[in-house]
Amino acid sequence: MAKDKRELQKKKEDYMKSMLLDKFADVFGSNEGAKVYFAPGRVNLIGEHTDYNGGHVFPCALTVGTYAVARKRKDRELHFYSVNFEYLGVKMSSLDKLVYAKEAGWTNYPKGVIWALKGKGFEIENGMDILIYGNIPNGSGLSSSASLEVLTGFVCKDLFGLEVSLTELALIGQYSENHYNGVNCGIMDQFASAMGKKDNAILLDCSTLSYKHVPLNLGEYTLILANTCKKHALGASAYNKRREEVSEGLIRMNSILGTDKDNLCDFTEDDYLKAEASMEADKIRDRVKHVIYENQRVKKAVEVLESGDLFAFGEILREGHASLRDLYEVTGFELDTMFDVACQTEGCIGSRMTGGGFGGCTINIVKKSAVENFIETVGNAYKSKTGITPAFYVCDIGDGAREIKM
Ligand code: GLA
């Protein structure tokens, strides 16, 4: 069975590779010297809004993501083409024009990564022809931009022989997203895209970037992504606003407890309980509580998963959603509706929103034999309550960024 799945995945990749190489030849005249690469999207199982608080996260890489066909040019020009936005044609830039430009649209992501690599002293002296194709559902919150960033870094590493580790590529992707594209994201998405491992989740300590892969042994259960089809707007001020709120929360915790910690996740649940009564009962306190408890939830979730207690794992996921809804306030009507109906549906033992929030997907642990019924029941109930037709995907956990060889 596992072998069949691997073979099917390989066939899909080979097919994709030859299709994209043909397309590259159509667009750029020939595909001589071109290589094919892939970097995945991600889903986070637990640990939301903890990454930029120096906490733990537990994401996995998906088998959907972003492909590139790329080769060096002799000059310094950058020619980008996206199969997803064919009507835009070839977008031109150059190694000497790596400044953010609104009209550069999606190419600001690869440009930002090349800019960040050059800024860190990596030598990229030739331009490139790059064709991109992404198969992450648009607006699903499964990190299409992080996968494009990691992919670009990987392409440059390979084509120019850069001595850069995958962890550094994740950091460079995050840096370019923060400083070139203006979204103040944490490290989780890029790290998962770079370091993913088939059928494993990654337990990552975002304060040190130490990590371990944890096999996802779900037995009779499987992971189902439920897309609310409500576009999440990560660039929206809400994400950056939460970051400001937690900075204020950190100052409060340090001043009440007389400590000098760097991150909210350095505090324990006991620390929070000691400080709680002295803190004004406002949104900042709620944000602090979510972050500290969510970080502990990651550790507990990994423990119960490793001991094979999927029911306990599912319960921790549900607690995580409730905290993101009530304390961190990043869910919203659609995500909460999807969560509520999933929790009431037979065969589903855990559910929560995944990613930044405000739309995008929930992740659900569903009994394999109940998947069809789950999709139908949850789909109908969600549609009748929100008026939106949702989408469901069986979540396949794949490897991180790589070259696709035949
Ligand atoms: C987005 C960000 C991540 C992380 C999550 C919330 O996906 O890009 O860095 O903060 O939101 O956990």
Side-chain angles (χ1 to χ4, degrees), residues 223-261:
L223 294 173
I224 302 286
L225 281 161
N227 189 348
T228 60
C229 294
K230 158 103 194 298
K231 292 222 162 94
H232 80 127
L234 190 58
S237 51
Y239 186 89
N240 290 346
K241 180 98 200 310
R242 292 297 176 282
R243 295 207 58 159
E244 284 164 25
E245 289 167 345
V246 289
S247 304
E248 198 182 326
L250 176 64
I251 296 172
R252 275 200 204 173
M253 285 293 287
N254 272 327
S255 104
I256 293 170
L257 296 175
T259 48
D260 185 23
K261 302 215 188 255

Coordinates of all heavy atoms in Angstrom, one line a residue, residues 223-261:
L223 N -5.6 12.4 8.1 CA -5.8 13.9 8.3 C -6.5 14.4 7.1 O -6.2 14.2 5.9 CB -4.4 14.6 8.3 CG -3.6 14.2 9.6 CD1 -2.2 14.8 9.4 CD2 -4.2 14.8 10.8
I224 N -7.6 15.2 7.4 CA -8.4 15.8 6.3 C -8.3 17.3 6.5 O -8.6 17.8 7.6 CB -9.9 15.4 6.4 CG1 -10.0 13.8 6.3 CG2 -10.7 16.0 5.3 CD1 -9.8 13.2 4.9
L225 N -8.0 18.0 5.4 CA -8.0 19.5 5.4 C -9.4 19.9 4.9 O -9.8 19.4 3.9 CB -6.9 20.0 4.5 CG -5.5 20.0 5.1 CD1 -4.5 20.1 4.0 CD2 -5.3 21.2 6.1
A226 N -10.0 20.8 5.7 CA -11.3 21.4 5.3 C -11.0 22.8 5.0 O -10.7 23.6 5.9 CB -12.3 21.2 6.4
N227 N -11.2 23.2 3.7 CA -10.9 24.6 3.3 C -12.2 25.4 3.4 O -13.2 25.1 2.7 CB -10.4 24.6 1.8 CG -9.9 25.9 1.4 OD1 -10.1 26.9 2.1 ND2 -9.3 26.0 0.3
T228 N -12.2 26.4 4.2 CA -13.4 27.3 4.4 C -13.7 28.0 3.1 O -14.8 28.6 3.0 CB -13.2 28.3 5.5 OG1 -12.1 29.1 5.2 CG2 -13.0 27.6 6.9
C229 N -12.7 28.1 2.2 CA -12.8 28.9 1.0 C -13.1 30.4 1.3 O -13.7 31.1 0.4 CB -13.8 28.3 0.0 SG -13.2 26.7 -0.6
K230 N -12.8 30.7 2.5 CA -12.8 32.2 2.9 C -11.3 32.5 2.8 O -10.5 31.9 3.5 CB -13.4 32.3 4.3 CG -13.0 33.6 5.0 CD -14.2 34.6 5.0 CE -13.8 36.0 5.4 NZ -13.3 36.2 6.7
K231 N -11.0 33.5 1.9 CA -9.6 33.8 1.8 C -9.0 34.4 3.1 O -9.7 35.3 3.6 CB -9.4 34.8 0.6 CG -9.7 34.1 -0.7 CD -8.7 34.5 -1.8 CE -8.8 33.5 -2.9 NZ -9.7 33.8 -3.9
H232 N -7.9 33.9 3.5 CA -7.3 34.5 4.7 C -6.4 35.6 4.1 O -5.9 35.6 3.0 CB -6.4 33.5 5.4 CG -5.1 33.3 4.8 ND1 -3.9 33.4 5.5 CD2 -4.8 32.9 3.5 CE1 -2.9 33.1 4.7 NE2 -3.4 32.8 3.5
A233 N -6.3 36.7 4.8 CA -5.5 37.8 4.4 C -4.4 38.0 5.4 O -4.5 38.8 6.4 CB -6.3 39.1 4.2
L234 N -3.3 37.3 5.2 CA -2.2 37.3 6.2 C -1.6 38.7 6.2 O -1.1 39.1 7.3 CB -1.2 36.2 5.8 CG -0.1 35.9 6.8 CD1 -0.7 35.5 8.1 CD2 0.9 34.9 6.3
G235 N -1.4 39.3 5.1 CA -0.8 40.7 5.1 C -1.7 41.6 5.9 O -1.2 42.7 6.3
A236 N -2.9 41.3 6.1 CA -3.8 42.2 6.8 C -3.2 42.5 8.1 O -2.5 41.8 8.8 CB -5.2 41.5 7.0
S237 N -3.6 43.7 8.5 CA -3.0 44.3 9.7 C -3.2 43.4 11.0 O -2.4 43.5 11.9 CB -3.6 45.7 10.0 OG -5.0 45.5 9.9
A238 N -4.2 42.5 11.0 CA -4.5 41.8 12.2 C -3.3 40.9 12.6 O -3.0 40.8 13.8 CB -5.7 40.8 11.9
Y239 N -2.6 40.4 11.7 CA -1.4 39.5 12.1 C -0.3 40.4 12.7 O 0.2 40.1 13.8 CB -0.8 38.8 10.8 CG 0.3 37.8 11.1 CD1 0.0 36.5 11.4 CD2 1.6 38.2 11.1 CE1 1.0 35.6 11.7 CE2 2.6 37.3 11.4 CZ 2.3 36.0 11.7 OH 3.3 35.1 12.0
N240 N 0.0 41.5 12.1 CA 1.0 42.4 12.7 C 0.5 43.0 14.0 O 1.3 43.2 14.9 CB 1.4 43.5 11.7 CG 2.2 42.9 10.5 OD1 2.6 41.8 10.5 ND2 2.3 43.7 9.4
K241 N -0.8 43.2 14.1 CA -1.4 43.7 15.3 C -1.1 42.7 16.5 O -0.8 43.1 17.6 CB -2.9 44.0 15.1 CG -3.6 44.5 16.3 CD -3.8 46.0 16.1 CE -4.1 46.8 17.4 NZ -5.1 46.4 18.2
R242 N -1.3 41.4 16.2 CA -1.1 40.4 17.3 C 0.4 40.5 17.7 O 0.7 40.3 18.9 CB -1.4 39.0 16.8 CG -2.9 38.7 16.5 CD -3.7 38.9 17.7 NE -5.1 38.7 17.4 CZ -5.9 39.6 16.9 NH1 -5.5 40.8 16.6 NH2 -7.2 39.3 16.6
R243 N 1.2 40.7 16.8 CA 2.7 40.8 17.1 C 2.9 41.9 18.1 O 3.7 41.8 19.0 CB 3.5 40.9 15.9 CG 3.4 39.6 15.0 CD 4.6 39.3 14.2 NE 5.9 39.2 15.0 CZ 6.9 38.6 14.6 NH1 7.0 38.0 13.4 NH2 8.0 38.5 15.4
E244 N 2.3 43.1 17.8 CA 2.4 44.2 18.7 C 1.9 43.9 20.1 O 2.4 44.2 21.1 CB 1.7 45.4 18.2 CG 2.4 46.1 17.1 CD 1.4 47.1 16.3 OE1 0.4 47.6 17.0 OE2 1.7 47.3 15.1
E245 N 0.7 43.2 20.1 CA 0.1 42.9 21.4 C 0.9 42.0 22.2 O 1.0 42.2 23.5 CB -1.3 42.3 21.1 CG -2.3 43.3 20.6 CD -3.6 42.7 20.0 OE1 -3.6 41.4 19.8 OE2 -4.5 43.4 19.8
V246 N 1.5 41.0 21.6 CA 2.3 40.1 22.4 C 3.6 40.7 22.9 O 4.1 40.4 23.9 CB 2.6 38.7 21.7 CG1 1.4 37.9 21.6 CG2 3.3 38.9 20.3
S247 N 4.1 41.7 22.1 CA 5.3 42.4 22.6 C 4.9 43.2 23.9 O 5.7 43.2 24.9 CB 5.8 43.5 21.7 OG 6.1 42.9 20.4
E248 N 3.8 43.8 23.9 CA 3.3 44.4 25.1 C 3.1 43.4 26.2 O 3.4 43.7 27.4 CB 2.0 45.2 24.8 CG 1.7 46.2 25.9 CD 0.4 47.0 25.6 OE1 0.1 47.2 24.4 OE2 -0.3 47.3 26.6
G249 N 2.6 42.3 25.9 CA 2.4 41.2 26.9 C 3.7 40.8 27.5 O 3.7 40.5 28.7
L250 N 4.7 40.7 26.7 CA 6.0 40.3 27.2 C 6.5 41.3 28.3 O 7.0 40.9 29.3 CB 7.0 40.1 26.1 CG 8.5 39.8 26.4 CD1 8.5 38.4 27.1 CD2 9.3 39.8 25.2
I251 N 6.4 42.6 27.9 CA 6.8 43.6 28.9 C 6.1 43.5 30.2 O 6.6 43.5 31.3 CB 6.6 45.0 28.2 CG1 7.5 45.2 27.0 CG2 6.9 46.1 29.2 CD1 7.3 46.4 26.2
R252 N 4.7 43.3 30.1 CA 3.9 43.1 31.3 C 4.4 42.0 32.1 O 4.5 42.1 33.4 CB 2.5 42.9 30.9 CG 1.7 44.1 30.6 CD 0.2 43.8 30.8 NE -0.6 44.7 30.0 CZ -1.9 44.6 29.8 NH1 -2.5 43.5 30.3 NH2 -2.6 45.4 29.2
M253 N 4.6 40.8 31.5 CA 4.9 39.6 32.2 C 6.3 39.8 33.0 O 6.4 39.5 34.1 CB 5.1 38.4 31.3 CG 3.8 37.8 30.9 SD 2.8 37.0 32.2 CE 3.7 35.5 32.5
N254 N 7.2 40.4 32.2 CA 8.6 40.6 32.8 C 8.5 41.6 34.0 O 9.1 41.4 35.0 CB 9.5 41.2 31.8 CG 10.3 40.1 31.0 OD1 10.5 39.0 31.6 ND2 10.5 40.3 29.7
S255 N 7.6 42.6 33.8 CA 7.6 43.6 34.9 C 6.8 43.1 36.1 O 7.3 43.3 37.2 CB 7.1 45.0 34.4 OG 5.8 45.2 34.8
I256 N 5.8 42.3 35.9 CA 5.1 41.7 37.1 C 5.9 40.7 37.8 O 6.0 40.7 39.0 CB 3.7 41.1 36.6 CG1 2.8 42.2 36.1 CG2 3.1 40.3 37.8 CD1 1.5 41.6 35.4
L257 N 6.6 39.9 37.0 CA 7.4 38.8 37.7 C 8.8 39.2 38.0 O 9.6 38.4 38.5 CB 7.4 37.5 36.8 CG 6.0 36.9 36.5 CD1 6.0 35.8 35.6 CD2 5.3 36.4 37.8
G258 N 9.2 40.4 37.6 CA 10.6 40.8 37.8 C 11.6 40.0 37.1 O 12.7 39.7 37.6
T259 N 11.2 39.6 35.9 CA 12.1 38.8 35.0 C 12.6 39.6 33.8 O 12.2 40.7 33.6 CB 11.4 37.5 34.5 OG1 10.1 37.9 34.0 CG2 11.2 36.5 35.6
D260 N 13.5 39.0 33.0 CA 14.0 39.6 31.9 C 14.0 38.7 30.7 O 15.1 38.5 30.1 CB 15.4 40.2 32.2 CG 16.0 41.0 31.1 OD1 15.1 41.5 30.3 OD2 17.2 41.1 30.9
K261 N 12.9 38.0 30.5 CA 12.9 36.9 29.5 C 12.7 37.6 28.1 O 12.2 38.6 27.9 CB 11.7 36.0 29.7 CG 11.8 35.4 31.1 CD 11.4 33.9 31.1 CE 11.3 33.4 32.5 NZ 12.3 32.4 32.8

